[in-house]
Amino acid sequence: MQHILESGTILRGRYEILELVGQGGMGAVYKAGDVRLQGRVCAVKEVLPNLSESASEEELAQIAEQFRIEASTLARLDHPNLPKVSDYFADNGREYLVMDFVEGRDLYEVLHEAMRNNVFLDEQQVLDWATQLLDALEYMHYQDPPVVHRDIKPSNIKLTPRGTVKLVDFGLVKVLQSNDSRTVTVVQGRGTVAYTPLEQYGGDSGFTDARSDIYAMGATLYHLLTGQPPVDAKERFLRPGALTAIRQINPNVSPRCERVIFQSLAMHPSERPATAREFRDLLIGSTAPPPRMATSGVLTVAPPVPPPSWSEILHHERLLIGIAGALLLVSLVISLF
């Protein structure tokens, strides 16, 4: 059972725990005060590595090193729609990220309130949030190496009192696989089922890239506009046509918006918008400048992300075929009983 830090606990001689604000299988998030900078409130994300009791010293060292790599990558990110990571450290076998504490409600709470009042969220408002979030994703995906979130959903998006949205709940740690060496994946785990593309079911061996975030973003927009999450990718594979049209649920949504969201929810990654910018342009059009990279005090135009090699493409296809075969086998077994 996860140990919860008590109020008043001070970590690293600096961060005083004020209250628990969130808890999950991979750790907890606390509201904390900075005792060195009076008045500063921050969020402390406690990350529990997913380890077996038989983990070797070498595996522990590898995970600790990966934590440092990924945390330092997050600390270099600087975007108005992302919380700023200011510190990271280990304490008693647990890893911690310190970042801005984002005031406000998450979009799941905003949506839940609207549905209680029997109204849908306004499409233009949702598209405004989407513009901000896709700008943040574009910035993340154009880092070197690219940064992929892998757990985008309404409850991981905060609406601040000023009306801006921030993509939150970064977590760690994941040891990179050789076939995933071009991407820093900063969220541990396999995402949340309704927002997870089929290729992500491969777990740590799955081939995930920017298009996996595109799927999750599309699923999030579907949920915000209809009031219900989309049918998950596994169910859609087993029952083609199971995904209900957005305008069938909410006729106020424009045909263009529905069409683009369905494109982002394509089962195969190659059928989705290739980048966050393309997704944004399809939704609303854009004249935004090229994305910027986080560097040591210098902002530069990011080069385009290189296409995957043939070996990566073949590996990806084998993974999707393997996942599809496993799902078919499960469905056949179920049908026999």
Side-chain angles (χ1 to χ4, degrees), residues 40-87:
R40 180 191 175 219
V41 177
C42 52
V44 175
K45 169 82 175 186
E46 180 186 60
V47 184
L48 301 178
N50 188 14
L51 300 173
S52 67
E53 294 182 359
S54 59
S56 67
E57 291 186 7
E58 182 180 355
E59 289 172 324
L60 293 173
Q62 187 180 26
I63 287 175
E65 176 61 21
Q66 189 58 47
F67 173 82
R68 287 190 289 270
I69 292 172
E70 296 182 0
S72 62
T73 298
L74 288 177
R76 291 197 299 271
L77 298 181
D78 188 6
H79 190 279
N81 300 110
L82 299 174
K84 180 63 179 174
V85 173
S86 57
D87 197 2

Short mmCIF file of all heavy atoms in Angstrom, two decimals, residues 40-87:
data_model
loop_
_atom_site.label_atom_id
_atom_site.label_comp_id
_atom_site.label_asym_id
_atom_site.label_seq_id
_atom_site.Cartn_x
_atom_site.Cartn_y
_atom_site.Cartn_z
N ARG A 40 5.70 31.01 -2.16
CA ARG A 40 5.64 30.21 -3.37
C ARG A 40 4.98 28.87 -3.07
O ARG A 40 5.37 28.16 -2.15
CB ARG A 40 7.03 29.96 -3.95
CG ARG A 40 6.99 29.13 -5.22
CD ARG A 40 8.35 28.66 -5.66
NE ARG A 40 8.22 27.77 -6.82
CZ ARG A 40 8.94 26.68 -7.02
NH1 ARG A 40 9.85 26.32 -6.12
NH2 ARG A 40 8.77 25.95 -8.09
N VAL A 41 3.98 28.52 -3.87
CA VAL A 41 3.30 27.23 -3.74
C VAL A 41 3.63 26.41 -4.98
O VAL A 41 3.61 26.91 -6.10
CB VAL A 41 1.77 27.42 -3.62
CG1 VAL A 41 1.07 26.07 -3.55
CG2 VAL A 41 1.44 28.24 -2.39
N CYS A 42 3.94 25.14 -4.77
CA CYS A 42 4.32 24.29 -5.89
C CYS A 42 3.62 22.94 -5.78
O CYS A 42 3.01 22.62 -4.75
CB CYS A 42 5.83 24.11 -5.96
SG CYS A 42 6.60 23.57 -4.42
N ALA A 43 3.69 22.18 -6.84
CA ALA A 43 3.18 20.82 -6.85
C ALA A 43 4.36 19.88 -6.80
O ALA A 43 5.32 20.04 -7.55
CB ALA A 43 2.35 20.57 -8.10
N VAL A 44 4.30 18.91 -5.90
CA VAL A 44 5.36 17.90 -5.80
C VAL A 44 4.75 16.57 -6.26
O VAL A 44 3.82 16.06 -5.65
CB VAL A 44 5.90 17.77 -4.37
CG1 VAL A 44 6.91 16.63 -4.28
CG2 VAL A 44 6.53 19.08 -3.92
N LYS A 45 5.28 16.06 -7.36
CA LYS A 45 4.80 14.79 -7.92
C LYS A 45 5.72 13.68 -7.43
O LYS A 45 6.92 13.67 -7.70
CB LYS A 45 4.83 14.86 -9.44
CG LYS A 45 4.61 13.53 -10.15
CD LYS A 45 3.15 13.17 -10.26
CE LYS A 45 2.96 11.90 -11.07
NZ LYS A 45 1.56 11.59 -11.33
N GLU A 46 5.17 12.76 -6.64
CA GLU A 46 5.92 11.60 -6.16
C GLU A 46 5.71 10.45 -7.12
O GLU A 46 4.57 10.09 -7.43
CB GLU A 46 5.44 11.21 -4.77
CG GLU A 46 6.16 10.01 -4.17
CD GLU A 46 5.53 9.59 -2.85
OE1 GLU A 46 4.33 9.24 -2.87
OE2 GLU A 46 6.22 9.61 -1.83
N VAL A 47 6.80 9.90 -7.62
CA VAL A 47 6.73 8.85 -8.62
C VAL A 47 7.22 7.54 -8.04
O VAL A 47 8.32 7.47 -7.48
CB VAL A 47 7.57 9.22 -9.86
CG1 VAL A 47 7.42 8.17 -10.94
CG2 VAL A 47 7.16 10.58 -10.39
N LEU A 48 6.40 6.51 -8.14
CA LEU A 48 6.78 5.19 -7.65
C LEU A 48 7.19 4.32 -8.82
O LEU A 48 6.34 3.94 -9.64
CB LEU A 48 5.61 4.53 -6.92
CG LEU A 48 5.05 5.29 -5.71
CD1 LEU A 48 3.87 4.53 -5.13
CD2 LEU A 48 6.12 5.48 -4.66
N PRO A 49 8.46 4.01 -8.96
CA PRO A 49 8.89 3.14 -10.06
C PRO A 49 8.18 1.80 -10.00
O PRO A 49 7.99 1.23 -8.92
CB PRO A 49 10.40 2.99 -9.83
CG PRO A 49 10.78 4.17 -9.00
CD PRO A 49 9.59 4.44 -8.12
N ASN A 50 7.79 1.30 -11.16
CA ASN A 50 7.09 0.02 -11.24
C ASN A 50 8.13 -1.10 -11.24
O ASN A 50 8.58 -1.57 -12.27
CB ASN A 50 6.24 -0.03 -12.52
CG ASN A 50 5.35 -1.25 -12.57
OD1 ASN A 50 5.16 -1.93 -11.56
ND2 ASN A 50 4.80 -1.53 -13.73
N LEU A 51 8.54 -1.55 -10.05
CA LEU A 51 9.62 -2.51 -9.92
C LEU A 51 9.15 -3.79 -9.27
O LEU A 51 8.25 -3.79 -8.44
CB LEU A 51 10.75 -1.91 -9.05
CG LEU A 51 11.40 -0.64 -9.57
CD1 LEU A 51 12.36 -0.11 -8.52
CD2 LEU A 51 12.14 -0.89 -10.85
N SER A 52 9.80 -4.88 -9.63
CA SER A 52 9.57 -6.14 -8.92
C SER A 52 10.51 -6.18 -7.73
O SER A 52 11.51 -5.47 -7.68
CB SER A 52 9.84 -7.33 -9.85
OG SER A 52 11.22 -7.39 -10.18
N GLU A 53 10.18 -7.03 -6.77
CA GLU A 53 11.01 -7.12 -5.58
C GLU A 53 12.40 -7.67 -5.89
O GLU A 53 13.34 -7.48 -5.12
CB GLU A 53 10.31 -8.01 -4.54
CG GLU A 53 9.01 -7.42 -4.01
CD GLU A 53 8.36 -8.31 -2.97
OE1 GLU A 53 8.94 -9.39 -2.68
OE2 GLU A 53 7.29 -7.93 -2.45
N SER A 54 12.52 -8.35 -7.03
CA SER A 54 13.80 -8.94 -7.40
C SER A 54 14.65 -8.04 -8.29
O SER A 54 15.61 -8.50 -8.89
CB SER A 54 13.56 -10.28 -8.12
OG SER A 54 12.78 -10.07 -9.29
N ALA A 55 14.28 -6.76 -8.40
CA ALA A 55 15.04 -5.85 -9.25
C ALA A 55 16.49 -5.79 -8.80
O ALA A 55 16.79 -5.66 -7.61
CB ALA A 55 14.42 -4.45 -9.20
N SER A 56 17.39 -5.89 -9.76
CA SER A 56 18.82 -5.90 -9.45
C SER A 56 19.32 -4.48 -9.24
O SER A 56 18.64 -3.50 -9.58
CB SER A 56 19.59 -6.55 -10.59
OG SER A 56 19.50 -5.74 -11.77
N GLU A 57 20.51 -4.36 -8.68
CA GLU A 57 21.12 -3.05 -8.49
C GLU A 57 21.32 -2.36 -9.83
O GLU A 57 21.18 -1.14 -9.95
CB GLU A 57 22.45 -3.18 -7.75
CG GLU A 57 22.30 -3.60 -6.29
CD GLU A 57 23.62 -3.57 -5.55
OE1 GLU A 57 24.62 -3.10 -6.15
OE2 GLU A 57 23.67 -4.01 -4.39
N GLU A 58 21.67 -3.14 -10.84
CA GLU A 58 21.86 -2.56 -12.18
C GLU A 58 20.56 -1.98 -12.72
O GLU A 58 20.55 -0.89 -13.30
CB GLU A 58 22.39 -3.63 -13.13
CG GLU A 58 22.67 -3.11 -14.53
CD GLU A 58 23.20 -4.20 -15.45
OE1 GLU A 58 23.43 -5.33 -14.97
OE2 GLU A 58 23.38 -3.90 -16.66
N GLU A 59 19.44 -2.70 -12.53
CA GLU A 59 18.14 -2.20 -12.98
C GLU A 59 17.75 -0.94 -12.21
O GLU A 59 17.22 0.02 -12.80
CB GLU A 59 17.08 -3.28 -12.80
CG GLU A 59 17.22 -4.45 -13.77
CD GLU A 59 16.28 -5.59 -13.46
OE1 GLU A 59 16.03 -5.84 -12.25
OE2 GLU A 59 15.79 -6.23 -14.40
N LEU A 60 17.99 -0.93 -10.91
CA LEU A 60 17.68 0.26 -10.11
C LEU A 60 18.50 1.45 -10.58
O LEU A 60 18.00 2.58 -10.67
CB LEU A 60 17.95 -0.03 -8.63
CG LEU A 60 17.02 -1.04 -7.95
CD1 LEU A 60 17.52 -1.34 -6.54
CD2 LEU A 60 15.60 -0.51 -7.91
N ALA A 61 19.79 1.21 -10.87
CA ALA A 61 20.65 2.29 -11.34
C ALA A 61 20.19 2.80 -12.70
O ALA A 61 20.22 4.01 -12.97
CB ALA A 61 22.10 1.80 -11.42
N GLN A 62 19.74 1.88 -13.56
CA GLN A 62 19.26 2.27 -14.87
C GLN A 62 18.01 3.14 -14.77
O GLN A 62 17.86 4.14 -15.47
CB GLN A 62 18.96 1.02 -15.71
CG GLN A 62 18.61 1.31 -17.16
CD GLN A 62 18.32 0.05 -17.94
OE1 GLN A 62 17.91 -0.96 -17.37
NE2 GLN A 62 18.51 0.10 -19.25
N ILE A 63 17.10 2.75 -13.88
CA ILE A 63 15.87 3.52 -13.69
C ILE A 63 16.18 4.90 -13.11
O ILE A 63 15.60 5.90 -13.52
CB ILE A 63 14.90 2.74 -12.79
CG1 ILE A 63 14.31 1.57 -13.58
CG2 ILE A 63 13.78 3.63 -12.27
CD1 ILE A 63 13.44 0.66 -12.77
N ALA A 64 17.11 4.95 -12.15
CA ALA A 64 17.49 6.24 -11.57
C ALA A 64 18.09 7.15 -12.62
O ALA A 64 17.80 8.36 -12.67
CB ALA A 64 18.47 6.02 -10.42
N GLU A 65 18.92 6.59 -13.49
CA GLU A 65 19.53 7.39 -14.55
C GLU A 65 18.49 7.86 -15.54
O GLU A 65 18.51 9.00 -16.00
CB GLU A 65 20.60 6.56 -15.27
CG GLU A 65 21.24 7.26 -16.47
CD GLU A 65 21.95 8.55 -16.11
OE1 GLU A 65 22.30 8.72 -14.91
OE2 GLU A 65 22.17 9.38 -17.00
N GLN A 66 17.53 6.98 -15.87
CA GLN A 66 16.47 7.37 -16.79
C GLN A 66 15.60 8.47 -16.19
O GLN A 66 15.19 9.40 -16.89
CB GLN A 66 15.59 6.16 -17.13
CG GLN A 66 14.60 6.43 -18.26
CD GLN A 66 15.31 6.86 -19.51
OE1 GLN A 66 16.30 6.24 -19.93
NE2 GLN A 66 14.84 7.92 -20.13
N PHE A 67 15.36 8.38 -14.88
CA PHE A 67 14.62 9.45 -14.22
C PHE A 67 15.33 10.79 -14.38
O PHE A 67 14.72 11.81 -14.71
CB PHE A 67 14.44 9.13 -12.74
CG PHE A 67 13.83 10.26 -11.94
CD1 PHE A 67 12.46 10.45 -11.92
CD2 PHE A 67 14.63 11.14 -11.23
CE1 PHE A 67 11.89 11.49 -11.21
CE2 PHE A 67 14.07 12.19 -10.52
CZ PHE A 67 12.70 12.37 -10.51
N ARG A 68 16.64 10.79 -14.17
CA ARG A 68 17.39 12.04 -14.29
C ARG A 68 17.33 12.59 -15.72
O ARG A 68 17.20 13.80 -15.92
CB ARG A 68 18.84 11.81 -13.87
CG ARG A 68 19.03 11.65 -12.37
CD ARG A 68 20.49 11.68 -11.98
NE ARG A 68 21.18 10.47 -12.40
CZ ARG A 68 21.28 9.38 -11.66
NH1 ARG A 68 20.71 9.33 -10.46
NH2 ARG A 68 21.92 8.30 -12.11
N ILE A 69 17.42 11.70 -16.71
CA ILE A 69 17.37 12.13 -18.10
C ILE A 69 16.02 12.76 -18.43
O ILE A 69 15.92 13.85 -18.99
CB ILE A 69 17.65 10.94 -19.05
CG1 ILE A 69 19.10 10.48 -18.91
CG2 ILE A 69 17.34 11.32 -20.51
CD1 ILE A 69 19.39 9.21 -19.67
N GLU A 70 14.94 12.04 -18.04
CA GLU A 70 13.61 12.52 -18.38
C GLU A 70 13.24 13.77 -17.58
O GLU A 70 12.62 14.70 -18.11
CB GLU A 70 12.60 11.40 -18.16
CG GLU A 70 12.84 10.21 -19.10
CD GLU A 70 11.83 9.11 -18.93
OE1 GLU A 70 10.92 9.24 -18.08
OE2 GLU A 70 11.94 8.10 -19.64
N ALA A 71 13.62 13.80 -16.31
CA ALA A 71 13.31 14.98 -15.48
C ALA A 71 14.06 16.20 -15.99
O ALA A 71 13.51 17.31 -16.03
CB ALA A 71 13.67 14.70 -14.02
N SER A 72 15.31 16.03 -16.38
CA SER A 72 16.07 17.17 -16.90
C SER A 72 15.50 17.64 -18.23
O SER A 72 15.52 18.84 -18.54
CB SER A 72 17.55 16.80 -17.06
OG SER A 72 17.73 15.76 -17.99
N THR A 73 14.95 16.70 -19.01
CA THR A 73 14.28 17.07 -20.26
C THR A 73 13.06 17.92 -19.97
O THR A 73 12.82 18.95 -20.59
CB THR A 73 13.87 15.80 -21.05
OG1 THR A 73 15.04 15.06 -21.39
CG2 THR A 73 13.13 16.18 -22.33
N LEU A 74 12.25 17.48 -19.00
CA LEU A 74 11.08 18.26 -18.61
C LEU A 74 11.47 19.64 -18.08
O LEU A 74 10.79 20.63 -18.36
CB LEU A 74 10.28 17.51 -17.54
CG LEU A 74 9.49 16.28 -17.99
CD1 LEU A 74 8.82 15.63 -16.79
CD2 LEU A 74 8.48 16.63 -19.04
N ALA A 75 12.55 19.71 -17.33
CA ALA A 75 12.97 20.98 -16.74
C ALA A 75 13.37 21.99 -17.81
O ALA A 75 13.32 23.20 -17.57
CB ALA A 75 14.13 20.74 -15.77
N ARG A 76 13.77 21.52 -18.99
CA ARG A 76 14.14 22.43 -20.07
C ARG A 76 12.94 22.97 -20.82
O ARG A 76 13.06 23.93 -21.59
CB ARG A 76 15.10 21.73 -21.04
CG ARG A 76 16.47 21.45 -20.47
CD ARG A 76 17.47 21.15 -21.58
NE ARG A 76 17.09 19.97 -22.36
CZ ARG A 76 17.47 18.73 -22.05
NH1 ARG A 76 18.22 18.51 -20.97
NH2 ARG A 76 17.11 17.71 -22.81
N LEU A 77 11.79 22.32 -20.66
CA LEU A 77 10.60 22.77 -21.38
C LEU A 77 10.10 24.09 -20.81
O LEU A 77 10.04 24.27 -19.59
CB LEU A 77 9.49 21.72 -21.30
CG LEU A 77 9.79 20.35 -21.91
CD1 LEU A 77 8.57 19.44 -21.76
CD2 LEU A 77 10.22 20.46 -23.36
N ASP A 78 9.73 24.98 -21.67
CA ASP A 78 9.24 26.30 -21.25
C ASP A 78 8.14 26.73 -22.21
O ASP A 78 8.42 27.24 -23.30
CB ASP A 78 10.39 27.31 -21.24
CG ASP A 78 9.98 28.65 -20.62
OD1 ASP A 78 8.85 28.73 -20.10
OD2 ASP A 78 10.78 29.59 -20.68
N HIS A 79 6.90 26.50 -21.81
CA HIS A 79 5.75 26.80 -22.68
C HIS A 79 4.59 27.25 -21.80
O HIS A 79 4.38 26.69 -20.72
CB HIS A 79 5.37 25.56 -23.49
CG HIS A 79 4.38 25.83 -24.56
ND1 HIS A 79 3.02 25.92 -24.32
CD2 HIS A 79 4.53 26.05 -25.91
CE1 HIS A 79 2.39 26.17 -25.46
NE2 HIS A 79 3.28 26.25 -26.43
N PRO A 80 3.83 28.24 -22.25
CA PRO A 80 2.74 28.78 -21.40
C PRO A 80 1.63 27.79 -21.09
O PRO A 80 0.88 27.99 -20.14
CB PRO A 80 2.20 29.97 -22.21
CG PRO A 80 2.66 29.73 -23.61
CD PRO A 80 3.97 29.03 -23.49
N ASN A 81 1.53 26.70 -21.85
CA ASN A 81 0.47 25.72 -21.60
C ASN A 81 1.00 24.44 -20.97
O ASN A 81 0.33 23.40 -20.98
CB ASN A 81 -0.28 25.40 -22.89
CG ASN A 81 -0.93 26.63 -23.49
OD1 ASN A 81 -0.48 27.11 -24.54
ND2 ASN A 81 -1.93 27.17 -22.83
N LEU A 82 2.21 24.53 -20.39
CA LEU A 82 2.80 23.43 -19.64
C LEU A 82 3.27 23.96 -18.29
O LEU A 82 3.80 25.07 -18.22
CB LEU A 82 4.01 22.84 -20.38
CG LEU A 82 3.79 22.24 -21.76
CD1 LEU A 82 5.13 21.86 -22.38
CD2 LEU A 82 2.86 21.03 -21.68
N PRO A 83 3.09 23.21 -17.21
CA PRO A 83 3.63 23.65 -15.92
C PRO A 83 5.15 23.57 -15.97
O PRO A 83 5.71 22.62 -16.51
CB PRO A 83 3.03 22.65 -14.93
CG PRO A 83 2.78 21.43 -15.74
CD PRO A 83 2.42 21.90 -17.12
N LYS A 84 5.80 24.55 -15.39
CA LYS A 84 7.26 24.59 -15.40
C LYS A 84 7.82 23.68 -14.31
O LYS A 84 7.47 23.80 -13.14
CB LYS A 84 7.75 26.02 -15.18
CG LYS A 84 9.27 26.18 -15.18
CD LYS A 84 9.87 25.81 -16.51
CE LYS A 84 11.38 26.00 -16.51
NZ LYS A 84 12.00 25.51 -17.75
N VAL A 85 8.68 22.74 -14.71
CA VAL A 85 9.36 21.86 -13.76
C VAL A 85 10.60 22.60 -13.24
O VAL A 85 11.43 23.05 -14.03
CB VAL A 85 9.77 20.53 -14.41
CG1 VAL A 85 10.62 19.70 -13.47
CG2 VAL A 85 8.52 19.75 -14.82
N SER A 86 10.71 22.73 -11.93
CA SER A 86 11.80 23.52 -11.35
C SER A 86 12.82 22.69 -10.59
O SER A 86 13.93 23.17 -10.31
CB SER A 86 11.23 24.59 -10.42
OG SER A 86 10.44 23.99 -9.39
N ASP A 87 12.48 21.44 -10.24
CA ASP A 87 13.42 20.65 -9.45
C ASP A 87 13.04 19.18 -9.57
O ASP A 87 11.89 18.84 -9.88
CB ASP A 87 13.37 21.08 -7.98
CG ASP A 87 14.59 20.62 -7.18
OD1 ASP A 87 15.49 19.99 -7.78
OD2 ASP A 87 14.62 20.87 -5.96
#
